[in-house]
Amino acid sequence: MRSDSGSIAPLLPYRLSAFYIAIFCVIGSQMPFWPVWLQAQGMGGVEIGVLTAIPVLAKLIFSPLFASLGDRLGERKRLMLLFLTAALISFLAFQLVSGFVGLLVVSLLYGMFWAPLMSFGDNITLLSTRGTDLQYGRLRLWGSISFIAMSFGVGLVLDQSGDQMVYWVILSSILLTFLVTLGLPDVRVTPLGKAGKPIRRLLKDKGFRLFLMCVAFIHGSHALYYAFATLHWRSLGYSDALIGFLWAEAVVAEVVFFIYGSKINARVAAYGLLILAASTAAFRWAAYAYDPSFIVIFIFQLLHAFSFGAMHLGAMSYMNRAVSVDLSATAQSLYGASAYGLGAGVTLMFVGMMYEAWGAQAFFIMTLMCIAGTICALALRRHEKRQTQASET
């Protein structure tokens, strides 16, 4: 593995943290409020569900494809800058189209180029901090703080401005991400070449397949929350500022979890964190299905620390331990493709119809997905214990 070093090495935690701050400016404004912008373009519930799903579904195909290219070439940073440039140009095209079909095409292009960026960024973080005392959770939490600031801040401003403001905030955040990525360490690994076949090598491993199924169910269960929580809470009469607060509150809990992540990770195995995430998410969505009062929503938003935070930390822990460096970018991308593409993306295709048919009771379907995720996590625990016993005999 090669990386730039020298006088800039002491700045490494700031450079990595800045990346998470910037990319979560995009996510923190897009996830809660992009459906609002789409609704302002005349889109209905089913159309919003599809348009929200398309960029996420793009991760299913293009994140592993582009990341395996990174492992074959040994590249990270330069590919990120290329894809960021293409994503920025694609997002600008939203101003040139109208109607469902035009928005669909641009959403696909944008999602395709945006797909591998978080996987590459996480991979650079894990590779550049190996052998140091820098902790992934402590660096990643700055992204969560950024999400809090954006979701709450955009909610406050949206109360006083038009819905078009959402587009310009996201566009500015993408540009910021490009500029910050210029400062990331240029981490490279030994190229696998054309014969490497990193995707096939990883998918041959039963444990890794169970891991992918688990995170797909857990994160997929968040799809209804991501796509329709803001619109549903609006329909109940909550202000945009209050809705932004609810989104921000959830991520505050996530930040606290990441602060103590290294201590938790030292005591709880990766599969234990995944079991915690799936079971907590099931409890959370079952409560939301009853359309509870504000105080109940306020309390259950704190469970995001476990339903998402424990899943993500467990995933990072599992891949850091179970995957070799030369396959690391592909592993990160398969995690993203499974959790965000297969899980959330496919589910988002249908949550619009679910929400229009059943309203908040559609969260019962999300609960069933979490039960399936729990079963996969338990199967992963059984597989890991068998492997440990086999290696000891």
Side-chain angles (χ1 to χ4, degrees):
M1 183 180 70
R2 307 190 309 275
S3 65
D4 59 352
S5 57
S7 60
I8 55 176
L11 298 176
L12 180 61
Y14 304 102
R15 297 155 69 193
L16 297 173
S17 298
F19 168 76
Y20 288 112
I21 290 171
I23 200 166
F24 274 91
C25 280
V26 180
I27 299 169
S29 51
Q30 185 169 322
M31 187 179 292
F33 298 109
W34 189 239
V36 173
W37 187 85
L38 292 173
Q39 189 177 59
Q41 310 311 304
M43 299 297 103
V46 174
E47 292 168 320
I48 290 172
V50 172
L51 291 170
T52 307
I54 287 300
V56 183
L57 275 172
K59 291 185 78 72
L60 183 59
I61 299 173
F62 295 104
S63 185
L65 180 65
F66 292 148
S68 63
L69 175 65
D71 277 335
R72 291 185 180 192
L73 298 177
E75 291 282 351
R76 301 291 186 267
K77 178 178 173 178
R78 289 191 289 187
L79 286 176
M80 285 182 71
L81 292 171
L82 175 64
F83 294 136
L84 267 167
T85 301
L88 183 62
I89 294 171
S90 300
F91 199 82
L92 283 167
F94 277 115
Q95 289 295 306
L96 305 177
V97 300
S98 61
F100 176 72
V101 175
L103 291 171
L104 183 69
V105 172
V106 176
S107 295
L108 177 59
L109 287 172
Y110 169 70
M112 178 175 69
F113 295 121
W114 186 262
L117 293 174
M118 181 63 80
S119 298
F120 274 131
D122 277 338
N123 191 236
I124 285 177
T125 297
L126 292 175
L127 292 179
S128 62
T129 57
R130 286 195 176 204
T132 74
D133 58 358
L134 294 177
Q135 301 169 9
Y136 171 83
R138 294 293 180 102
L139 299 169
R140 169 61 170 73
L141 71 83
W142 288 103
S144 299
I145 293 172
S146 175
F147 186 102
I148 294 166
M150 292 303 292
S151 59
F152 187 53
V154 173
L156 283 174
V157 176
L158 197 56
D159 270 340
Q160 310 298 325
S161 62
D163 294 339
Q164 293 298 322
M165 180 271 295
V166 173
Y167 172 84
W168 298 108
V169 171
I170 297 172
L171 179 65
S172 301
S173 299
I174 296 172
L175 178 59
L176 175 64
T177 304
F178 176 86
L179 296 174
V180 167
T181 301
L182 291 170
L184 285 177
D186 190 12
V187 175
R188 305 182 196 182
V189 299
T190 303
L192 288 176
K194 293 183 179 180
K197 299 180 180 178
I199 295 177
R200 183 180 300 180
R201 287 169 58 184
L202 286 166
L203 293 182
K204 282 183 176 180
D205 183 90
K206 180 182 178 181
F208 196 79
R209 293 197 305 270
L210 285 170
F211 161 70
L212 292 180
M213 291 170 60
C214 179
V215 295
F217 281 121
I218 296 173
H219 198 255
S221 76
H222 288 66
L224 183 62
Y225 168 68
Y226 290 153
F228 287 99
T230 296
L231 297 179
H232 185 68
W233 291 335
R234 266 188 163 192
S235 73
L236 297 177
Y238 298 158
S239 68
D240 288 323
L242 190 57
I243 291 169
F245 171 79
L246 287 172
W247 280 89
E249 174 213 349
V251 188
V252 167
E254 179 188 313
V255 168
V256 174
F257 185 85
F258 281 137
I259 289 174
Y260 296 99
S262 60
K263 294 181 179 179
I264 296 171
N265 204 21
R267 298 184 179 184
V268 183
Y271 58 74
L273 289 170
L274 295 174
I275 292 170
L276 174 63
S279 56
T280 303
F283 187 46
R284 183 185 182 190
W285 305 141
Y288 285 12
Y290 290 99
D291 222 355
S293 64
F294 173 78
I295 188 63
V296 174
I297 295 174
F298 173 83
I299 293 171
F300 274 75
Q301 280 293 88
L302 297 174
L303 295 183
H304 193 74
F306 306 113
S307 68
F308 176 79
M311 181 205 72
H312 189 64
L313 191 62
M316 293 298 109
S317 173
Y318 176 81
M319 289 184 290
N320 202 33
R321 179 189 58 78
V323 178
S324 61
V325 170
D326 59 337
L327 299 175
S328 57
T330 302
Q332 292 279 352
S333 71
L334 286 172
Y335 161 59
S338 186
Y340 299 89
L342 180 61
V346 171
T347 310
L348 280 167
M349 291 292 292
F350 300 100
V351 292
M353 291 180 282
M354 294 178 192
Y355 181 72
E356 288 195 345
W358 303 312
Q361 290 187 341
F363 275 109
F364 281 127
I365 306 298
M366 305 298 105
T367 302
L368 293 176
M369 292 181 66
C370 293
I371 293 172
T374 304
I375 293 171
C376 290
L378 290 170
L380 178 61
R381 180 181 68 173
R382 183 179 180 184
H383 175 77
E384 295 257 298
K385 287 187 174 181
R386 281 183 174 178
Q387 279 196 323
T388 301
Q389 290 171 355
S391 65
E392 291 175 350
T393 57

